[in-house]
Amino acid sequence: MPPRTGVTRDRVVEAAVRVADASGAGALTMRALAEALGVAPMSLYHHVPNKEAILDAAVDAVFAEVDLPVVGAPWRAELRRRAASVRAALVRHPWALALMESRRNPGPATLAHHDAVLGTFRAGGFSLAATAHAYALLDAFVYGFALQEATLAFRDSAGGPGPSGAEGRPDVAAAADGLAEVLGGGAYPHLVEFVGQHALQPGYSFAASFEVGLDLVLDGLERLRARGAG
Amino acid sequence: MPPRTGVTRDRVVEAAVRVADASGAGALTMRALAEALGVAPMSLYHHVPNKEAILDAAVDAVFAEVDLPVVGAPWRAELRRRAASVRAALVRHPWALALMESRRNPGPATLAHHDAVLGTFRAGGFSLAATAHAYALLDAFVYGFALQEATLAFRDSAGGPGPSGAEGRPDVAAAADGLAEVLGGGAYPHLVEFVGQHALQPGYSFAASFEVGLDLVLDGLERLRARGAG
DNA sequence: ACCTGAACACCGTTCAAGT
DNA sequence: ACCTGAACACCGTTCAAGT
């Protein structure tokens, strides 16, 4: 599948996101990227300085998908919607989380994102000090939850596109199966209870804890706000 | 520095942690590991099946450093101490967080860790459903906070041991310097305000938000517990 | 049993050369 | 200006060979 037109920086970044979505971060090599674009590996270097720049741009592309909060609108509803949007983006692009940790150059979408969140806190009556604590807590929760979801999910080597609506419940069952042998002895009684009596029960969904946790966090933020500067 | 005695699995894992601490995950190659042990690269494969197994064991070694909660003791104090201990371990071993995301085989220390936390929740009066939500929220916060700290810290390519007491404040200044040019225009006004008026001020410390956030999370867990099963 | 060098199929990237 | 093949210094790992 040769490209209709020449390679561009944007086309390289789009392809990078597509390849990572389909096959994971490990499959995102310059050679694979070039093949996806129907071009020789070295051609990429005419539109991008190196692989790092591609990763920077790919992470920024994920941030560009996030539903920004509206500065001045009721902070709690806005930040609730934004938190769910960040998590959804990270579920769509599980490779992005690990990359974010090593990025040093935030792109325009990333900067606009942080600006909107900070503005929403400030307009909602949070002092600068409270905003710092609140933003740290809120994003620790959002990113940490996404990290746990990524850990539970199985996107080992292969990975394929997979059902896009697979929000429900990762393979807790498979993980538990692998553990069954180890759990044989009397060690880890609470782990056995939890997995057997709860996590493996029909109705269980790890994702359900997101809403519960988010509301508790937002409750905490409201008390932080009411408490004043600090 | 040739080893006094032969290579063992434990010695390989110790060396892996040491190399990653000193030079980052990127420097953790089979060849570098072999050199650190004064042995040929292929010798490692007599004590470990492959690199994946080394990474699994290295992550478990980090969990082994964590101060476990005492099941049956007051849950809030125990889990507070444990949360701080996890964060401290991840500050000592920043490479571990990214690795945890891709590990599929929890080791004995990891299992004992989860067992102790689950037991502490249960003995503290949390229902199984409440325990699931509480554990998800608590660890989302702890891991997410560590993720943000790792993102803020600069441990780019080189890395060296660094001052072990460097808990204080990562290079927010350096990050802001790099941004100064971009922030020139009127875009990102809230980001400019936050960085200029708060994050760059003398007393500021991102780490200080950990205690604040942790207490808000623990308050939330207490309400979750009191609310009952769910 | 433990260790090893050579070799293979990969990486990202430099360089000189093409159009 | 854009693209490219060959080559370099790396990876993890297999294999046959040593002690």
Side-chain angles (χ1 to χ4, degrees):
Chain A
M1 50 183 79
R4 290 207 173 284
T5 150
V7 185
T8 65
R9 198 195 111 104
D10 283 355
R11 229 178 285 268
V12 171
V13 176
E14 279 171 30
V17 171
R18 213 162 45 233
V19 169
D21 285 349
S23 317
L28 184 51
T29 70
M30 297 301 275
R31 286 166 166 91
L33 201 45
E35 186 172 9
L37 289 163
V39 92
M42 288 317 300
S43 301
L44 304 178
Y45 287 87
H46 281 272
H47 305 94
V48 126
N50 49 38
K51 189 180 180 180
E52 286 291 289
I54 297 177
L55 299 182
D56 282 341
V59 168
D60 202 54
V62 172
F63 269 105
E65 291 182 14
V66 174
D67 207 7
L68 292 189
V70 177
V71 178
W75 69 269
R76 183 164 176 146
E78 292 301 310
L79 293 180
R80 196 180 202 296
R81 185 166 46 80
R82 173 263 177 186
S85 179
V86 169
R87 168 170 167 268
L90 291 175
V91 169
R92 283 194 301 272
H93 311 292
W95 47 268
L97 193 62
L99 244 50
M100 285 172 40
E101 195 186 348
S102 56
R103 292 308 92 194
R104 211 97 297 152
N105 299 104
T110 306
L111 293 173
H113 177 94
H114 288 137
D115 192 70
V117 173
L118 289 169
T120 302
F121 275 123
R122 296 290 284 137
F126 286 77
S127 69
L128 278 174
T131 295
H133 293 317
Y135 202 177
L137 167 55
L138 182 60
D139 270 15
F141 171 71
V142 172
Y143 292 128
F145 197 90
L147 181 71
Q148 292 182 87
E149 280 190 304
T151 305
L152 290 176
F154 53 175
R155 33 116 192 75
D156 254 0
S157 38
S164 62
E167 290 265 354
R169 128 183 192 291
D171 66 332
V172 184
D177 283 0
L179 263 57
E181 51 201 58
V182 189
L183 268 42
Y188 318 126
H190 306 106
L191 195 51
V192 168
E193 180 203 39
F194 183 78
V195 172
Q197 306 299 317
H198 191 69
L200 244 40
Q201 294 303 308
Y204 177 75
S205 151
F206 181 79
S209 289
F210 183 75
E211 306 286 330
V212 175
L214 180 55
D215 280 326
L216 288 178
V217 167
L218 292 171
D219 288 347
L221 297 191
E222 168 55 25
R223 281 199 303 286
L224 186 68
R225 190 187 72 91
R227 184 194 305 172
Chain B
M1 48 184 78
R4 291 207 172 284
T5 151
V7 185
T8 65
R9 198 196 110 104
D10 284 354
R11 228 178 286 268
V12 171
V13 176
E14 280 170 29
V17 171
R18 214 163 44 235
V19 168
D21 285 350
S23 316
L28 185 50
T29 70
M30 297 300 275
R31 286 166 166 91
L33 200 45
E35 185 172 8
L37 289 163
V39 93
M42 290 316 301
S43 301
L44 303 178
Y45 288 86
H46 281 271
H47 305 94
V48 126
N50 50 38
K51 189 179 179 181
E52 286 291 290
I54 297 178
L55 299 182
D56 282 340
V59 168
D60 203 54
V62 172
F63 269 104
E65 291 182 14
V66 174
D67 207 6
L68 292 189
V70 178
V71 178
W75 68 268
R76 181 162 178 147
E78 292 301 310
L79 292 180
R80 195 180 204 296
R81 186 168 44 79
R82 173 262 177 186
S85 180
V86 170
R87 169 170 166 267
L90 290 175
V91 168
R92 282 194 302 272
H93 311 292
W95 47 269
L97 193 62
L99 244 50
M100 286 171 39
E101 195 185 348
S102 55
R103 292 308 94 194
R104 209 98 297 151
N105 299 104
T110 305
L111 293 173
H113 177 93
H114 288 137
D115 193 69
V117 173
L118 289 169
T120 302
F121 274 123
R122 297 291 284 136
F126 286 76
S127 69
L128 279 174
T131 295
H133 294 316
Y135 202 177
L137 168 55
L138 182 60
D139 270 14
F141 172 71
V142 172
Y143 292 129
F145 196 91
L147 181 70
Q148 293 183 88
E149 280 189 303
T151 307
L152 289 176
F154 53 176
R155 32 122 192 69
D156 256 359
S157 38
S164 62
E167 291 265 355
R169 130 185 192 290
D171 66 332
V172 184
D177 284 358
L179 264 56
E181 51 201 60
V182 190
L183 268 43
Y188 318 126
H190 306 108
L191 195 51
V192 168
E193 178 203 40
F194 182 79
V195 172
Q197 307 299 316
H198 191 70
L200 245 41
Q201 293 303 309
Y204 177 75
S205 152
F206 180 79
S209 289
F210 183 74
E211 306 287 330
V212 175
L214 181 55
D215 280 326
L216 288 178
V217 166
L218 291 171
D219 287 348
L221 297 191
E222 169 55 25
R223 281 198 305 285
L224 185 68
R225 190 186 72 91
R227 184 194 305 171

